[in-house]
Amino acid sequence: MSNNSTAIVADLENMRFQYKSELTIYTEKLTDGRLLFAGLQDNGTSIYEHTDLKDKPSFDLTIDGESLYYGWEFNDFASEQDSLGNSTGTLTLTHASKPIQLKVITRCCGFGFFRRSLEIVSLSEDIALSLTNVIPFKGCIWSITDNIADNLRDDTVAPYSIGRFKDLYWANEGNFAWQDVPVNTGIFFNSTFGMSGHSSPFFILRNNINGGYFVCQMGWSSNWKTAFFADYFNDSRLPNKMNLNFEVQPVTPSPARSIAPGERIAAPDVHFGASHVDLDTAIQNLHAYLRQSVLRQVGDGLQPVIYNQAGYMVPGYKQPEMSEAGLIEEVDIAAELGAELFMIDAGWYGNNGQPGTDWGNTTGDWHAADILPNDLIPVYEHARSKGLKCGLWVEIETAGSKSKLAADHPDWFLTKYGSTFPRVLDLSKPEVKDFVESEIVRLVEKYQLDMFRLDYNSSSNEGGFNFKDGWNENTHWRHMEAIYEIFERVGKKFPNLQLENCASGGGRTDIGIVSRFTTTWVSDWFKMPRTVRILNGMSMALPPEFINRSYTPGMEGNMDSHMHVIMMGHPMLCGVAPSLAEASPATMACAKKYIGIYKDFIRTFHRTANVYHHTPVIPGADGTGWAALEYVSEDRRKAVATVFRLINAEEDRYALKFRGLDKGASYRVRIEPEGSEFVVGGYELSRQGLAIELDTALTSQMILLTKAER
């Protein structure tokens, strides 16, 4: 999709720069040695220069413990436009007292969105510099000056709210909620596990007085922080005013990174957009921007239906845990269901056939275990003979305590406080980084993989430390640089390779790592009803086709409802049956039906669909009440919606009023699992809606709509 609604206006005489994306205009100004966040408008009308904000730096950079948000001198400004119509402006600055050059890169990408990058270049000839801290983007929005006291309704209404994922812990990803920003009280949110999740550096700001949304994500897969302050100046002697200050940054113990003489490093990218629209449209603009300018696509972009072998291949059911015969049996189930890619999960490597070992303590030895004497080759040959593509699980950043790699290279592990951190390899060390990349390439080439699944099941918390260039440098920054660089090169070397991101489920769902992969585990919690809330929330931050959802055995709720969840994301199934001989005909028929619906209907418009969140906030510990999601094709000829009755619903009926249909058209409606079909007008579906009646918890209906010909 080409975009011509971007532009850059650089007034070099006044050092004022305006970046335009659709109706959104972001203004910066270099004055008194500071690059200021001068204004952000969401209605297409540019502010006058005399109304620019004059005291709000747009970034902060601390080198050797000294803040460098001021002291900058202009070098150069250049702009260009790419084939998509995205406009990029690069402002080059040099610091007056520190040997630092800074490239401030702002991309206008359409849909009201921008991508902000900072490149930090050392101009030192002989001394390494220390990056203490960086805030790559900060600013101030929504200044209010008119009748503030009255508009605040005597302090009963908070002027601004933040929408975010409020839970930081495993299995609670995507729990979206609004939180008011108290007046003149700063608040912040952060991660602490050494990963970006199980929350995400993603937030939505809402103006509760004058309206509008500001959507922001930072591409950083380690610890992060977002901070907010509603500044209310209410001195009775002067005009009252109010605005909302924000900032987003990576967090790591100092120094985060040493910078060698002449070296160039990049701060995490920040993606942001503003719009004076409803929440659905704000999210749709984000998805459109991400799909066009950020996320990786392989081939036609259609996501394959994945079958994962791990369902029944567990100790106590089949012994040994993994075998060639057992894997081939799983292949046969996958082919019978109509899956398209067969994934071999954890446990295929190392000495897992020996007593007392498990999949976690032999990672690092990426060679087939002795329980697979013929390696994985016969399994993959069988899968390909059945028309299936092939994938492989690898936790490449770790080495288990019983692995040969751990014994041979004890110095390759993360270290802190004088001891080794278990399992976690230190990719800030070049030899470790080179080994990791070479192993990925070797495995892809050896098995001719169609998908490589990266997992990461360790929390390094504040990271480790290495003495480098005279500084006791933290490991997080270089580790993330290594992972990003490795998978950028792997993606280029194997342009048709699907890359699947997983980190103990949803431990790394930020746009930094997701942009280098083609699909992502947003959680490995698949039980109802929380799995619905995970899909519902994470499909705000990411387009749904990038969100992996799975069916696994032993779940609460009926099978149709589980199928409805996974078909609205990127579907994966495992454990549908122990074997074809033991398969339940009803179970197989249900799974095959919904796989067909996904491939023949939903997937035909999935990766360009407009998403409507009828229930953006789902309360409760696991999800209470009702949940409803609606996807509509760009041309509004097709749509799919699912309505779920979760737990503790007070009514047996939910009125689904469609939001994205052509109100002047008629639609053929099909409802699953009941199978009824009828034709009804788009106006009626939008205004009166469909009455969904479900009298028991953990059930659902899927509604498929196709525009009827006149």
Side-chain angles (χ1 to χ4, degrees), residues 253-258 410-419 424-432 462-479:
S254 174
R257 178 72 153 77
S258 67
D411 57 327
W412 280 17
F413 288 90
L414 202 72
T415 58
K416 55 182 171 181
Y417 317 138
S419 60
V424 182
L425 296 175
D426 185 356
L427 269 68
S428 71
K429 297 178 177 179
E431 64 273 23
V432 183
E462 72 274 24
F465 305 91
N466 291 316
F467 195 75
K468 186 175 181 62
D469 299 327
W471 305 94
N472 199 25
E473 181 188 67
N474 187 263
T475 58
H476 275 320
W477 193 288
R478 287 187 190 271
H479 188 105

Side-chain angles (χ1 to χ4, degrees), residues 22 44 97 181 209 232 326 429 558 577 597 600:
E22 303 288 351
S97 60
V181 183
I209 304 299
Y232 182 21
K429 297 178 177 179
N558 68 15
I597 288 173
D600 298 336

Side-chain angles (χ1 to χ4, degrees), residues 21 107-115 215 272-273 282 285-286 289:
S21 175
R107 298 174 179 87
C108 313
C109 299
F111 313 105
F113 272 84
F114 306 85
R115 181 173 183 168
V215 182
F272 68 98
N285 288 340
L286 170 65
Y289 157 65

Side-chain angles (χ1 to χ4, degrees), residues 1 157 287 368 571:
M1 180 189 300
V157 174
H287 290 176

Side-chain angles (χ1 to χ4, degrees), residues 312 317-318 329-330 333 575-588:
Y312 281 97
Y317 189 86
K318 289 183 178 179
E329 204 166 41
E330 296 283 342
I333 298 170
V576 174
S579 67
L580 280 179
E582 299 171 84
S584 160
T587 299
M588 296 293 285

Side-chain angles (χ1 to χ4, degrees), residues 14-326:
N14 295 300
M15 289 290 114
R16 190 169 185 262
F17 309 92
Q18 287 199 314
Y19 303 93
K20 302 181 180 181
S21 175
E22 303 288 351
L23 295 177
T24 306
I25 303 173
Y26 171 53
T27 305
E28 286 187 325
K29 188 171 185 179
L30 181 63
T31 182
D32 299 327
R34 299 175 299 161
L35 185 63
L36 301 179
F37 185 111
L40 182 68
Q41 282 67 47
D42 60 13
N43 57 13
T45 302
S46 176
I47 57 175
Y48 295 110
E49 185 173 354
H50 73 269
T51 60
D52 286 348
L53 296 173
K54 298 176 175 59
D55 61 347
K56 303 295 182 182
S58 63
F59 70 90
D60 194 3
L61 173 65
T62 307
I63 300 289
D64 295 345
E66 179 182 352
S67 177
L68 305 184
Y69 75 85
Y70 62 95
W72 295 99
E73 298 174 347
F74 175 79
N75 278 166
D76 183 50
F77 185 85
S79 62
E80 60 182 1
Q81 192 171 72
D82 63 21
S83 60
L84 294 173
N86 298 334
S87 301
T88 300
T90 301
L91 173 64
T92 304
L93 306 172
T94 302
H95 200 264
S97 60
K98 277 284 185 182
I100 287 287
Q101 184 185 78
L102 190 67
K103 289 187 177 293
V104 183
I105 304 167
T106 308
R107 298 174 179 87
C108 313
C109 299
F111 313 105
F113 272 84
F114 306 85
R115 181 173 183 168
R116 179 56 167 267
S117 307
L118 292 182
E119 291 186 2
I120 306 162
V121 184
S122 171
L123 301 180
S124 173
E125 296 181 356
D126 54 0
I127 299 175
L129 304 176
S130 166
L131 174 63
T132 305
N133 183 49
V134 62
I135 301 176
F137 192 56
K138 58 189 297 188
C140 174
I141 59 175
W142 293 327
S143 179
I144 301 174
T145 57
D146 300 326
N147 304 315
I148 295 177
D150 287 343
N151 290 334
L152 288 177
R153 301 178 195 168
D154 299 321
D155 295 332
T156 60
V157 174
Y160 312 110
S161 296
I162 304 164
R164 63 178 182 107
F165 302 137
K166 69 178 186 179
D167 287 324
L168 295 175
Y169 298 99
W170 170 81
N172 288 280
E173 300 89 348
N175 190 3
F176 183 83
W178 291 103
Q179 179 169 335
D180 291 341
V181 183
V183 174
N184 289 337
T185 303
I187 58 174
F188 71 89
F189 311 107
N190 64 295
S191 67
T192 60
F193 297 115
M195 301 183 286
S196 60
H198 296 263
S199 184
S200 178
F202 159 79
F203 62 86
I204 304 172
L205 299 179
R206 182 178 67 194
N207 188 326
N208 297 326
I209 304 299
N210 292 333
Y213 292 95
F214 176 85
V215 182
C216 185
Q217 296 196 58
M218 182 172 63
W220 183 245
S221 308
S222 191
N223 294 333
W224 54 268
K225 176 183 176 182
T226 59
F228 310 91
F229 181 73
D231 188 357
Y232 182 21
F233 182 82
N234 59 351
D235 191 319
S236 60
R237 298 168 296 176
L238 297 170
N240 290 353
K241 63 179 180 180
M242 177 180 292
N243 49 50
L244 180 59
N245 297 273
F246 71 90
E247 58 187 48
V248 55
Q249 66 179 106
V251 173
T252 181
S254 174
R257 178 72 153 77
S258 67
I259 311 174
E263 187 178 14
R264 177 192 306 264
I265 67 171
D269 285 350
V270 178
H271 310 257
F272 68 98
S275 51
H276 212 99
V277 293
D278 58 85
L279 179 62
D280 281 327
T281 306
I283 295 299
Q284 290 161 15
N285 288 340
L286 170 65
H287 290 176
Y289 157 65
L290 294 176
R291 285 162 167 162
Q292 174 176 280
S293 300
V294 179
L295 297 174
R296 183 173 182 262
Q297 179 183 324
V298 169
D300 57 12
L302 301 181
Q303 300 287 33
V305 177
I306 302 171
Y307 192 88
N308 196 74
Q309 53 76 210
Y312 281 97
M313 197 169 287
V314 295
Y317 189 86
K318 289 183 178 179
Q319 293 290 349
E321 181 176 349
M322 187 175 286
S323 67
E324 181 179 310

Side-chain angles (χ1 to χ4, degrees), residues 364-385:
D365 295 346
W366 302 116
H367 300 274
D370 53 8
I371 54 176
L372 296 167
N374 299 312
D375 207 320
L376 298 174
I377 303 300
V379 179
Y380 283 146
E381 288 179 346
H382 184 65
R384 291 190 171 101
S385 74

Side-chain angles (χ1 to χ4, degrees), residues 628-658:
L629 269 174
E630 172 190 352
Y631 303 163
V632 182
S633 65
E634 284 187 303
D635 60 9
R636 298 190 292 178
R637 298 190 64 83
K638 294 181 180 180
V640 59
T642 49
V643 177
F644 300 90
R645 179 170 178 160
L646 305 179
I647 61 173
N648 298 326
E650 296 180 356
E651 304 289 340
D652 290 344
R653 174 181 292 191
Y654 181 88
L656 175 64
K657 298 181 179 180
F658 285 84

